[in-house]
Amino acid sequence: HHYTTALQLARCFRLGILSGLIACRPSAPAPRDLPPQSSTLVYQSISSRFEHRVREIVRDSVRWNRIMDSTGGAGGLQPPPPPVDFAKYMLVVAVEVTGAGDSLVISAPRFGDDTLFVRVTVYSLCEPLDETTFPIQVIRVPRRNAWLSVEEVRSRGPRCVQ
């Protein structure tokens, strides 16, 4: 059994705006009648050099290179990620501040009229570990001019105290 708590802290971001500004709008979980969107896992690691939580759409190679510089993957520790054709695709990036051993998954991408809905699930081991990690996952979806709306879900292990 996993105890799952859906956080109603759903957020949306429209990125790619000049000066790196983030515009937010109210959001909700994706309507169930929207068809699922195919996606491809581009990058995943149990840790990164990020020091903060991230939920972001990446629409160009400049930002993608900055993301990769923050993963530790660009320093030769890991193979470089596959190149991205930003004329056809955009990336969804999620980074979480967690305890060692925790992980995250981006799932259920669906496009509404002007919104890309995704679910980010953070899986917690719920064991008291002194180390903080920053797991990252990146998926590729077809490029659209869309806001990002994130439904946050936490899944806790069976020994977790609520």
Side-chain angles (χ1 to χ4, degrees), residues 39-63:
S39 63
T40 303
L41 179 64
V42 173
Y43 184 83
Q44 181 171 329
S45 178
I46 59 170
S47 65
S48 68
R49 292 191 309 228
F50 279 91
E51 295 182 355
H52 58 278
R53 184 174 187 263
V54 176
R55 305 292 189 264
E56 179 176 338
I57 290 178
V58 175
R59 300 178 192 276
D60 61 61
S61 59
V62 172
R63 180 66 183 140

PDB file of all heavy atoms in Angstrom, residues 39-63:
ATOM      1  N   SER A  39       4.799  11.167 -25.140  1.00  0.00           N
ATOM      2  CA  SER A  39       5.982  11.876 -24.664  1.00  0.00           C
ATOM      3  C   SER A  39       7.150  10.911 -24.670  1.00  0.00           C
ATOM      4  O   SER A  39       6.972   9.696 -24.700  1.00  0.00           O
ATOM      5  CB  SER A  39       5.754  12.428 -23.252  1.00  0.00           C
ATOM      6  OG  SER A  39       5.552  11.378 -22.339  1.00  0.00           O
ATOM      7  N   THR A  40       8.339  11.467 -24.632  1.00  0.00           N
ATOM      8  CA  THR A  40       9.563  10.679 -24.628  1.00  0.00           C
ATOM      9  C   THR A  40      10.428  11.117 -23.454  1.00  0.00           C
ATOM     10  O   THR A  40      10.630  12.317 -23.257  1.00  0.00           O
ATOM     11  CB  THR A  40      10.346  10.898 -25.944  1.00  0.00           C
ATOM     12  OG1 THR A  40       9.502  10.558 -27.040  1.00  0.00           O
ATOM     13  CG2 THR A  40      11.613  10.063 -25.981  1.00  0.00           C
ATOM     14  N   LEU A  41      10.922  10.145 -22.685  1.00  0.00           N
ATOM     15  CA  LEU A  41      11.862  10.463 -21.620  1.00  0.00           C
ATOM     16  C   LEU A  41      13.177  10.884 -22.251  1.00  0.00           C
ATOM     17  O   LEU A  41      13.763  10.154 -23.042  1.00  0.00           O
ATOM     18  CB  LEU A  41      12.070   9.250 -20.709  1.00  0.00           C
ATOM     19  CG  LEU A  41      13.062   9.443 -19.567  1.00  0.00           C
ATOM     20  CD1 LEU A  41      12.573  10.494 -18.585  1.00  0.00           C
ATOM     21  CD2 LEU A  41      13.303   8.119 -18.866  1.00  0.00           C
ATOM     22  N   VAL A  42      13.646  12.077 -21.898  1.00  0.00           N
ATOM     23  CA  VAL A  42      14.879  12.622 -22.468  1.00  0.00           C
ATOM     24  C   VAL A  42      16.031  12.501 -21.490  1.00  0.00           C
ATOM     25  O   VAL A  42      17.158  12.189 -21.869  1.00  0.00           O
ATOM     26  CB  VAL A  42      14.678  14.102 -22.879  1.00  0.00           C
ATOM     27  CG1 VAL A  42      15.992  14.740 -23.305  1.00  0.00           C
ATOM     28  CG2 VAL A  42      13.640  14.199 -23.985  1.00  0.00           C
ATOM     29  N   TYR A  43      15.749  12.741 -20.208  1.00  0.00           N
ATOM     30  CA  TYR A  43      16.815  12.738 -19.210  1.00  0.00           C
ATOM     31  C   TYR A  43      16.221  12.426 -17.852  1.00  0.00           C
ATOM     32  O   TYR A  43      15.109  12.867 -17.539  1.00  0.00           O
ATOM     33  CB  TYR A  43      17.526  14.096 -19.169  1.00  0.00           C
ATOM     34  CG  TYR A  43      18.694  14.133 -18.219  1.00  0.00           C
ATOM     35  CD1 TYR A  43      19.936  13.659 -18.601  1.00  0.00           C
ATOM     36  CD2 TYR A  43      18.536  14.636 -16.935  1.00  0.00           C
ATOM     37  CE1 TYR A  43      21.011  13.683 -17.719  1.00  0.00           C
ATOM     38  CE2 TYR A  43      19.606  14.657 -16.048  1.00  0.00           C
ATOM     39  CZ  TYR A  43      20.836  14.179 -16.446  1.00  0.00           C
ATOM     40  OH  TYR A  43      21.883  14.196 -15.573  1.00  0.00           O
ATOM     41  N   GLN A  44      16.982  11.694 -17.037  1.00  0.00           N
ATOM     42  CA  GLN A  44      16.547  11.388 -15.678  1.00  0.00           C
ATOM     43  C   GLN A  44      17.776  11.103 -14.832  1.00  0.00           C
ATOM     44  O   GLN A  44      18.706  10.442 -15.274  1.00  0.00           O
ATOM     45  CB  GLN A  44      15.635  10.170 -15.687  1.00  0.00           C
ATOM     46  CG  GLN A  44      15.112   9.807 -14.321  1.00  0.00           C
ATOM     47  CD  GLN A  44      14.046   8.724 -14.415  1.00  0.00           C
ATOM     48  OE1 GLN A  44      13.315   8.646 -15.391  1.00  0.00           O
ATOM     49  NE2 GLN A  44      13.969   7.901 -13.409  1.00  0.00           N
ATOM     50  N   SER A  45      17.764  11.619 -13.605  1.00  0.00           N
ATOM     51  CA  SER A  45      18.853  11.359 -12.672  1.00  0.00           C
ATOM     52  C   SER A  45      18.311  11.459 -11.250  1.00  0.00           C
ATOM     53  O   SER A  45      17.388  12.229 -10.992  1.00  0.00           O
ATOM     54  CB  SER A  45      19.980  12.374 -12.873  1.00  0.00           C
ATOM     55  OG  SER A  45      21.023  12.146 -11.940  1.00  0.00           O
ATOM     56  N   ILE A  46      18.895  10.680 -10.350  1.00  0.00           N
ATOM     57  CA  ILE A  46      18.458  10.730  -8.954  1.00  0.00           C
ATOM     58  C   ILE A  46      19.015  11.938  -8.216  1.00  0.00           C
ATOM     59  O   ILE A  46      18.607  12.225  -7.103  1.00  0.00           O
ATOM     60  CB  ILE A  46      18.820   9.430  -8.200  1.00  0.00           C
ATOM     61  CG1 ILE A  46      20.316   9.200  -8.237  1.00  0.00           C
ATOM     62  CG2 ILE A  46      18.039   8.267  -8.741  1.00  0.00           C
ATOM     63  CD1 ILE A  46      20.780   8.086  -7.318  1.00  0.00           C
ATOM     64  N   SER A  47      19.940  12.657  -8.851  1.00  0.00           N
ATOM     65  CA  SER A  47      20.454  13.874  -8.223  1.00  0.00           C
ATOM     66  C   SER A  47      20.904  14.854  -9.294  1.00  0.00           C
ATOM     67  O   SER A  47      21.166  14.481 -10.434  1.00  0.00           O
ATOM     68  CB  SER A  47      21.619  13.558  -7.280  1.00  0.00           C
ATOM     69  OG  SER A  47      22.711  13.066  -8.008  1.00  0.00           O
ATOM     70  N   SER A  48      20.978  16.104  -8.917  1.00  0.00           N
ATOM     71  CA  SER A  48      21.455  17.158  -9.806  1.00  0.00           C
ATOM     72  C   SER A  48      22.113  18.223  -8.947  1.00  0.00           C
ATOM     73  O   SER A  48      22.123  18.131  -7.726  1.00  0.00           O
ATOM     74  CB  SER A  48      20.286  17.756 -10.598  1.00  0.00           C
ATOM     75  OG  SER A  48      19.423  18.470  -9.735  1.00  0.00           O
ATOM     76  N   ARG A  49      22.660  19.239  -9.593  1.00  0.00           N
ATOM     77  CA  ARG A  49      23.264  20.342  -8.844  1.00  0.00           C
ATOM     78  C   ARG A  49      22.281  21.495  -8.646  1.00  0.00           C
ATOM     79  O   ARG A  49      22.670  22.567  -8.206  1.00  0.00           O
ATOM     80  CB  ARG A  49      24.525  20.818  -9.551  1.00  0.00           C
ATOM     81  CG  ARG A  49      25.629  19.776  -9.501  1.00  0.00           C
ATOM     82  CD  ARG A  49      26.954  20.317  -9.953  1.00  0.00           C
ATOM     83  NE  ARG A  49      26.876  20.997 -11.225  1.00  0.00           N
ATOM     84  CZ  ARG A  49      27.703  20.793 -12.242  1.00  0.00           C
ATOM     85  NH1 ARG A  49      28.670  19.920 -12.136  1.00  0.00           N
ATOM     86  NH2 ARG A  49      27.566  21.456 -13.359  1.00  0.00           N
ATOM     87  N   PHE A  50      21.018  21.277  -8.991  1.00  0.00           N
ATOM     88  CA  PHE A  50      20.011  22.292  -8.684  1.00  0.00           C
ATOM     89  C   PHE A  50      19.920  22.432  -7.173  1.00  0.00           C
ATOM     90  O   PHE A  50      20.168  21.478  -6.443  1.00  0.00           O
ATOM     91  CB  PHE A  50      18.634  21.872  -9.214  1.00  0.00           C
ATOM     92  CG  PHE A  50      18.441  22.136 -10.667  1.00  0.00           C
ATOM     93  CD1 PHE A  50      18.754  21.156 -11.590  1.00  0.00           C
ATOM     94  CD2 PHE A  50      17.951  23.348 -11.112  1.00  0.00           C
ATOM     95  CE1 PHE A  50      18.577  21.384 -12.935  1.00  0.00           C
ATOM     96  CE2 PHE A  50      17.771  23.585 -12.457  1.00  0.00           C
ATOM     97  CZ  PHE A  50      18.087  22.597 -13.371  1.00  0.00           C
ATOM     98  N   GLU A  51      19.532  23.592  -6.717  1.00  0.00           N
ATOM     99  CA  GLU A  51      19.343  23.804  -5.286  1.00  0.00           C
ATOM    100  C   GLU A  51      17.937  24.292  -4.991  1.00  0.00           C
ATOM    101  O   GLU A  51      17.685  24.854  -3.932  1.00  0.00           O
ATOM    102  CB  GLU A  51      20.385  24.792  -4.768  1.00  0.00           C
ATOM    103  CG  GLU A  51      21.788  24.235  -4.879  1.00  0.00           C
ATOM    104  CD  GLU A  51      22.840  25.174  -4.331  1.00  0.00           C
ATOM    105  OE1 GLU A  51      22.493  26.314  -3.939  1.00  0.00           O
ATOM    106  OE2 GLU A  51      24.000  24.764  -4.285  1.00  0.00           O
ATOM    107  N   HIS A  52      17.038  24.069  -5.937  1.00  0.00           N
ATOM    108  CA  HIS A  52      15.658  24.508  -5.760  1.00  0.00           C
ATOM    109  C   HIS A  52      14.737  23.641  -6.615  1.00  0.00           C
ATOM    110  O   HIS A  52      15.188  22.939  -7.517  1.00  0.00           O
ATOM    111  CB  HIS A  52      15.510  25.982  -6.137  1.00  0.00           C
ATOM    112  CG  HIS A  52      15.919  26.261  -7.555  1.00  0.00           C
ATOM    113  ND1 HIS A  52      17.235  26.440  -7.921  1.00  0.00           N
ATOM    114  CD2 HIS A  52      15.207  26.353  -8.694  1.00  0.00           C
ATOM    115  CE1 HIS A  52      17.303  26.648  -9.229  1.00  0.00           C
ATOM    116  NE2 HIS A  52      16.090  26.594  -9.716  1.00  0.00           N
ATOM    117  N   ARG A  53      13.483  23.720  -6.325  1.00  0.00           N
ATOM    118  CA  ARG A  53      12.448  22.992  -7.048  1.00  0.00           C
ATOM    119  C   ARG A  53      12.204  23.660  -8.401  1.00  0.00           C
ATOM    120  O   ARG A  53      12.192  24.891  -8.481  1.00  0.00           O
ATOM    121  CB  ARG A  53      11.190  23.055  -6.180  1.00  0.00           C
ATOM    122  CG  ARG A  53      10.035  22.314  -6.635  1.00  0.00           C
ATOM    123  CD  ARG A  53       8.986  22.445  -5.510  1.00  0.00           C
ATOM    124  NE  ARG A  53       7.867  21.633  -5.771  1.00  0.00           N
ATOM    125  CZ  ARG A  53       6.755  22.069  -6.333  1.00  0.00           C
ATOM    126  NH1 ARG A  53       6.630  23.324  -6.674  1.00  0.00           N
ATOM    127  NH2 ARG A  53       5.768  21.239  -6.539  1.00  0.00           N
ATOM    128  N   VAL A  54      11.979  22.862  -9.441  1.00  0.00           N
ATOM    129  CA  VAL A  54      11.761  23.396 -10.789  1.00  0.00           C
ATOM    130  C   VAL A  54      10.566  22.696 -11.427  1.00  0.00           C
ATOM    131  O   VAL A  54      10.437  21.471 -11.327  1.00  0.00           O
ATOM    132  CB  VAL A  54      13.008  23.189 -11.678  1.00  0.00           C
ATOM    133  CG1 VAL A  54      12.751  23.652 -13.107  1.00  0.00           C
ATOM    134  CG2 VAL A  54      14.229  23.871 -11.090  1.00  0.00           C
ATOM    135  N   ARG A  55       9.713  23.450 -12.092  1.00  0.00           N
ATOM    136  CA  ARG A  55       8.660  22.964 -12.981  1.00  0.00           C
ATOM    137  C   ARG A  55       8.697  23.926 -14.149  1.00  0.00           C
ATOM    138  O   ARG A  55       8.367  25.100 -13.991  1.00  0.00           O
ATOM    139  CB  ARG A  55       7.266  22.990 -12.331  1.00  0.00           C
ATOM    140  CG  ARG A  55       7.160  22.241 -11.012  1.00  0.00           C
ATOM    141  CD  ARG A  55       7.320  20.732 -11.199  1.00  0.00           C
ATOM    142  NE  ARG A  55       7.006  19.999  -9.996  1.00  0.00           N
ATOM    143  CZ  ARG A  55       7.914  19.588  -9.119  1.00  0.00           C
ATOM    144  NH1 ARG A  55       9.198  19.855  -9.295  1.00  0.00           N
ATOM    145  NH2 ARG A  55       7.556  18.895  -8.052  1.00  0.00           N
ATOM    146  N   GLU A  56       9.092  23.449 -15.324  1.00  0.00           N
ATOM    147  CA  GLU A  56       9.398  24.390 -16.400  1.00  0.00           C
ATOM    148  C   GLU A  56       9.222  23.761 -17.769  1.00  0.00           C
ATOM    149  O   GLU A  56       9.479  22.577 -17.958  1.00  0.00           O
ATOM    150  CB  GLU A  56      10.846  24.847 -16.221  1.00  0.00           C
ATOM    151  CG  GLU A  56      11.347  25.791 -17.251  1.00  0.00           C
ATOM    152  CD  GLU A  56      12.767  26.277 -16.945  1.00  0.00           C
ATOM    153  OE1 GLU A  56      13.203  26.226 -15.781  1.00  0.00           O
ATOM    154  OE2 GLU A  56      13.432  26.701 -17.903  1.00  0.00           O
ATOM    155  N   ILE A  57       8.807  24.589 -18.734  1.00  0.00           N
ATOM    156  CA  ILE A  57       8.857  24.217 -20.143  1.00  0.00           C
ATOM    157  C   ILE A  57      10.111  24.852 -20.723  1.00  0.00           C
ATOM    158  O   ILE A  57      10.375  26.035 -20.514  1.00  0.00           O
ATOM    159  CB  ILE A  57       7.622  24.722 -20.918  1.00  0.00           C
ATOM    160  CG1 ILE A  57       6.377  23.948 -20.493  1.00  0.00           C
ATOM    161  CG2 ILE A  57       7.838  24.587 -22.430  1.00  0.00           C
ATOM    162  CD1 ILE A  57       5.099  24.417 -21.176  1.00  0.00           C
ATOM    163  N   VAL A  58      10.890  24.064 -21.458  1.00  0.00           N
ATOM    164  CA  VAL A  58      12.091  24.561 -22.127  1.00  0.00           C
ATOM    165  C   VAL A  58      11.802  24.558 -23.620  1.00  0.00           C
ATOM    166  O   VAL A  58      11.437  23.531 -24.189  1.00  0.00           O
ATOM    167  CB  VAL A  58      13.320  23.678 -21.803  1.00  0.00           C
ATOM    168  CG1 VAL A  58      14.533  24.123 -22.606  1.00  0.00           C
ATOM    169  CG2 VAL A  58      13.608  23.709 -20.314  1.00  0.00           C
ATOM    170  N   ARG A  59      12.002  25.718 -24.248  1.00  0.00           N
ATOM    171  CA  ARG A  59      11.665  25.875 -25.661  1.00  0.00           C
ATOM    172  C   ARG A  59      12.867  26.182 -26.557  1.00  0.00           C
ATOM    173  O   ARG A  59      12.693  26.372 -27.752  1.00  0.00           O
ATOM    174  CB  ARG A  59      10.639  26.991 -25.826  1.00  0.00           C
ATOM    175  CG  ARG A  59       9.347  26.752 -25.087  1.00  0.00           C
ATOM    176  CD  ARG A  59       8.392  27.934 -25.270  1.00  0.00           C
ATOM    177  NE  ARG A  59       7.275  27.882 -24.365  1.00  0.00           N
ATOM    178  CZ  ARG A  59       6.168  27.191 -24.562  1.00  0.00           C
ATOM    179  NH1 ARG A  59       6.040  26.483 -25.648  1.00  0.00           N
ATOM    180  NH2 ARG A  59       5.200  27.211 -23.663  1.00  0.00           N
ATOM    181  N   ASP A  60      14.080  26.240 -25.985  1.00  0.00           N
ATOM    182  CA  ASP A  60      15.238  26.560 -26.824  1.00  0.00           C
ATOM    183  C   ASP A  60      16.505  25.909 -26.276  1.00  0.00           C
ATOM    184  O   ASP A  60      16.570  25.517 -25.114  1.00  0.00           O
ATOM    185  CB  ASP A  60      15.426  28.077 -26.969  1.00  0.00           C
ATOM    186  CG  ASP A  60      15.675  28.772 -25.647  1.00  0.00           C
ATOM    187  OD1 ASP A  60      16.679  28.451 -24.981  1.00  0.00           O
ATOM    188  OD2 ASP A  60      14.865  29.639 -25.274  1.00  0.00           O
ATOM    189  N   SER A  61      17.512  25.817 -27.136  1.00  0.00           N
ATOM    190  CA  SER A  61      18.753  25.122 -26.772  1.00  0.00           C
ATOM    191  C   SER A  61      19.566  25.894 -25.734  1.00  0.00           C
ATOM    192  O   SER A  61      20.308  25.282 -24.958  1.00  0.00           O
ATOM    193  CB  SER A  61      19.599  24.846 -28.015  1.00  0.00           C
ATOM    194  OG  SER A  61      19.912  26.054 -28.664  1.00  0.00           O
ATOM    195  N   VAL A  62      19.442  27.221 -25.685  1.00  0.00           N
ATOM    196  CA  VAL A  62      20.187  27.998 -24.686  1.00  0.00           C
ATOM    197  C   VAL A  62      19.739  27.591 -23.280  1.00  0.00           C
ATOM    198  O   VAL A  62      20.563  27.283 -22.409  1.00  0.00           O
ATOM    199  CB  VAL A  62      20.008  29.514 -24.911  1.00  0.00           C
ATOM    200  CG1 VAL A  62      20.618  30.314 -23.758  1.00  0.00           C
ATOM    201  CG2 VAL A  62      20.617  29.936 -26.237  1.00  0.00           C
ATOM    202  N   ARG A  63      18.444  27.568 -23.058  1.00  0.00           N
ATOM    203  CA  ARG A  63      17.938  27.176 -21.737  1.00  0.00           C
ATOM    204  C   ARG A  63      18.228  25.708 -21.463  1.00  0.00           C
ATOM    205  O   ARG A  63      18.567  25.327 -20.345  1.00  0.00           O
ATOM    206  CB  ARG A  63      16.429  27.466 -21.644  1.00  0.00           C
ATOM    207  CG  ARG A  63      15.834  27.094 -20.313  1.00  0.00           C
ATOM    208  CD  ARG A  63      16.381  27.954 -19.174  1.00  0.00           C
ATOM    209  NE  ARG A  63      15.841  27.507 -17.895  1.00  0.00           N
ATOM    210  CZ  ARG A  63      16.548  27.441 -16.768  1.00  0.00           C
ATOM    211  NH1 ARG A  63      17.797  27.844 -16.737  1.00  0.00           N
ATOM    212  NH2 ARG A  63      15.992  26.997 -15.665  1.00  0.00           N
TER     213      ARG A  63
END
